[in-house]
Amino acid sequence: MDHTQKPRVRFAPSPTGYLHVGGARTALFNWLFARHKGGTMLLRIEDTDVERNRPELVDGILAGLKWLGVEWEEGPYFQSQRLEMYRSEARRLLASGAAFACYCKASSYAGADAAPAAESGEEQEGEGDAEGPKTRKNIACPCRDLTDADRAAREREGITPAIRFRAPRSGTTGFQDAVFGPRDVQNEEIEDFVLLRSNGLPTYQLSVVVDDIDMRISHVIRGADHLSNTPKQVLLYRALGAEPPIFAHVPLILGADRTRLSKRHGATSVSSYADEGFLPEAFRNFLALLGWSPGGDSEFLRTHELVERFSLAGVSRTNAIFDRPKLEWFNTQYLQKLPVSDVLPYVADELKRANLWNGSQAVADPEWFARAVDLIRPRTRLLPDFTAWARAFFTDDFDYEAEARAKFWKDERLPDMLAKLADALAALPEWNHDACDAALRQLATAEGVKAGLLINATRVAIVGRAVAPPLFETMVILGKDRVVSRIRRALPSVSAQ
């Protein structure tokens, strides 16, 4: 393989689960590497596990990648449509003597050569180990030394053989890993692994190598729990007459308790974070820093900066910790710091989801929509905040928070004062921050009360909550007519306190 070519990488999930955090991070690293190097990213669906595959999950995986902003130049390719190629290559290895027919019961190797969780994009429970599963000396398959007569006898018995790789029994198999450095494994620790099952379906080891050769993959970037698979695959590359790609095994992602990230740690599916209201770019930024460092103290990195700075040299050997509060911090930073024009489409989608979009001022007046979002966003953490506590900015249909009513509408003088405030505001010739401020404070002085009493009561009347952006800025955004009508609408409720 010509490693001077523009890199070709691939992300290869299995449709046995949703796109989870570990798989998404692997996809992102591949994408960043390809973009940084001007290379190509392929998407390959590894769907040969007929018992565990759920074809309907393919759409979910694709949607998760698109939401994350990880796009591919080629594919998706489906391994289920390439079965004859794997069978042909297995037969070629058999003919060359690199493999042999195995007549052992299928149960003796079922599941032994499935893809680990990190490759499939799944997360599994149990402690992670960046070294992968521990190896041990393996007993060679008894079928490797069968004579022609032995094989003929088994064929007459009607036994359909599997095809196993003839692993070397001495020496070492080594490879250079771009993250973990040089790796060497004693060949006596590599079993005669299955290539083609007796039912004609390929194992993970065969299909992944055949595909990576055929698709001219130059760099294999995947989870560290593949380290134990790599010596087998290096042997297979060489037996097929191909140079192995450059391998880069990225660290595992652990929960706060230092065990493999799983459902017990909370949401692990990328789609669940999309549903919760995280911004894709914030999630990308957070995910990129799980096991990779750009150098320096920078954390807030726009996607173009991630692309510019990404390198395999910055990938850590140490397992990463998934920190939910840190993810929320990133999302808050992005909601606050992005140009408001970048945030508007996501807020619009959220308003549509909550049925607050059609017929709203946000549709009729894009400039007003931008100013409203800009006022609200410093106090938001997730996108649903725009339709939860900030609902009153986009619809007149909102409730008065019970605690706010009890705390700020309890003065028996308020109904009369709020009625006077509504009249004073309606009479203002100009509607701006200072005019609204002066009208309220003049009324408070005339009534002999502190301005805070009216400020808090008015806030509850016009947005239904005790906590919101500054009152007079809120009043300017809402406009005179809505503010005055909302104060007057609240009067019966204030009187009922």
Side-chain angles (χ1 to χ4, degrees):
M1 186 174 295
D2 181 9
H3 295 316
T4 63
Q5 69 177 18
K6 290 286 188 181
R8 288 175 62 83
V9 300
R10 49 53 166 196
F11 177 57
S14 297
T16 55
Y18 297 99
L19 179 67
H20 290 263
V21 169
R25 197 272 310 266
T26 298
L28 179 62
F29 278 13
N30 275 280
W31 182 82
L32 289 172
F33 180 77
R35 288 293 183 277
H36 178 79
K37 295 286 189 179
T40 301
M41 178 170 166
L42 291 74
L43 178 63
R44 185 171 73 221
I45 306 298
E46 301 195 336
D47 58 347
T48 60
D49 189 341
V50 294
E51 293 183 359
R52 298 178 63 227
N53 282 342
R54 295 166 60 191
E56 69 274 10
L57 293 179
V58 172
D59 289 342
I61 292 172
L62 300 185
L65 290 172
K66 290 177 180 177
W67 175 81
L68 189 61
V70 172
E71 298 181 354
W72 51 95
E73 286 72 41
E74 294 184 22
Y77 300 105
F78 290 83
Q79 286 190 333
S80 59
Q81 299 172 5
R82 300 164 61 83
L83 296 177
E84 189 49 45
M85 180 188 299
Y86 312 136
R87 292 167 184 152
S88 175
E89 292 300 274
R91 290 192 292 266
R92 182 159 73 92
L93 291 166
L94 186 63
S96 71
F100 60 91
C102 169
Y103 299 88
C104 298
K105 291 182 179 180
S107 59
S108 68
Y109 56 77
D113 294 280
E119 187 78 347
S120 68
E122 294 181 74
E123 306 292 339
Q124 294 180 340
E125 295 193 11
E127 294 193 10
D129 185 347
E131 299 299 310
K134 298 304 181 184
T135 55
R136 59 178 176 79
K137 292 184 179 180
N138 290 285
I139 300 174
C141 175
C143 299
R144 71 180 277 156
D145 296 322
L146 292 178
T147 64
D148 290 343
D150 292 332
R151 284 191 289 272
R154 284 162 174 74
E155 297 285 349
R156 286 193 298 271
E157 293 175 21
I159 301 174
T160 302
I163 297 179
R164 282 187 186 266
F165 187 80
R166 191 184 299 276
R169 292 181 172 177
S170 61
T172 62
T173 295
F175 63 95
Q176 179 74 24
D177 189 89
V179 176
F180 285 86
R183 312 284 295 184
D184 283 289
V185 173
Q186 296 294 321
N187 287 334
E188 63 183 3
E189 297 177 344
I190 303 174
E191 76 272 17
D192 296 328
F193 54 94
V194 178
L195 301 174
L196 197 69
R197 299 179 177 90
S198 59
N199 62 6
L201 291 176
T203 63
Y204 166 74
Q205 307 293 3
L206 175 66
S207 59
V208 71
V209 171
V210 170
D211 277 344
D212 285 348
I213 293 173
D214 181 65
M215 296 173 182
R216 308 188 314 282
I217 300 301
S218 63
H219 295 73
V220 172
I221 304 170
R222 60 188 182 186
D225 48 358
H226 271 282
L227 280 167
S228 63
N229 274 322
T230 307
K232 297 177 185 178
Q233 293 170 9
V234 168
L235 289 171
L236 198 45
Y237 274 102
R238 293 170 180 165
L240 289 169
E243 181 185 350
I246 294 172
F247 292 99
H249 290 88
V250 301
L252 305 180
I253 301 176
L254 308 182
D257 59 358
R258 303 302 196 270
T259 63
R260 277 292 288 270
L261 193 65
S262 67
K263 292 180 180 179
R264 69 174 178 273
H265 296 109
T268 58
S269 170
V270 168
S271 61
S272 67
Y273 292 100
D275 293 341
E276 282 190 59
F278 286 93
L279 293 173
E281 190 172 8
F283 198 80
R284 277 197 299 276
N285 193 164
F286 168 77
L287 209 56
L289 298 180
L290 287 180
W292 171 73
S293 172
D297 297 327
S298 300
E299 287 190 304
F300 183 89
L301 297 170
R302 299 295 305 271
T303 298
H304 69 88
E305 296 175 280
L306 294 175
V307 171
E308 290 170 2
R309 299 171 70 166
F310 188 82
S311 72
L312 295 177
V315 177
S316 172
R317 299 183 186 186
T318 305
N319 291 334
I321 305 299
F322 188 93
D323 183 349
R324 168 72 188 225
K326 188 70 172 182
L327 171 58
E328 293 185 4
W329 177 86
F330 270 106
N331 206 62
T332 302
Q333 293 293 303
Y334 271 83
L335 281 171
Q336 293 178 7
K337 293 181 178 180
L338 289 184
V340 70
S341 59
D342 289 358
V343 178
L344 295 180
Y346 298 106
V347 179
D349 286 343
E350 176 60 25
L351 293 176
K352 292 172 186 175
R353 185 196 62 77
N355 296 318
L356 298 178
W357 182 253
N358 292 336
S360 71
Q361 187 175 354
V363 178
D365 189 347
E367 184 179 341
W368 174 87
F369 181 42
R371 287 190 291 117
V373 170
D374 207 29
L375 175 65
I376 298 165
R377 64 178 179 155
R379 290 162 179 80
T380 58
R381 184 176 54 92
L382 297 168
L383 286 170
D385 289 339
F386 288 94
T387 55
W389 71 260
R391 177 185 178 91
F393 284 85
F394 304 106
T395 179
D396 292 324
D397 179 19
F398 62 89
D399 296 324
Y400 303 116
E401 193 176 59
E403 292 182 2
R405 291 176 57 170
K407 184 174 182 180
F408 296 119
W409 283 359
K410 61 185 178 182
D411 193 305
E412 61 184 14
R413 296 169 294 175
L414 279 172
D416 181 59
M417 285 190 287
L418 286 177
K420 292 178 179 178
L421 177 62
D423 292 341
L425 293 172
L428 288 176
E430 295 184 6
W431 189 257
N432 55 50
H433 177 285
D434 291 347
C436 292
D437 187 337
L440 184 144
R441 294 184 189 279
Q442 287 170 8
L443 177 61
T445 300
E447 295 292 326
V449 298
K450 291 183 178 179
L453 175 69
L454 275 177
I455 288 173
N456 290 325
T458 302
R459 180 181 294 110
V460 178
I462 66 174
V463 297
R465 294 176 55 90
V467 179
L471 175 63
F472 303 114
E473 294 176 22
T474 297
M475 293 169 70
V476 171
I477 287 292
L478 290 177
K480 179 194 287 189
D481 292 344
R482 292 172 84 184
V483 169
V484 171
S485 66
R486 286 183 182 187
I487 292 174
R488 288 173 175 161
R489 185 183 71 181
L491 292 178
S493 298
V494 178
S495 300
Q497 283 300 114

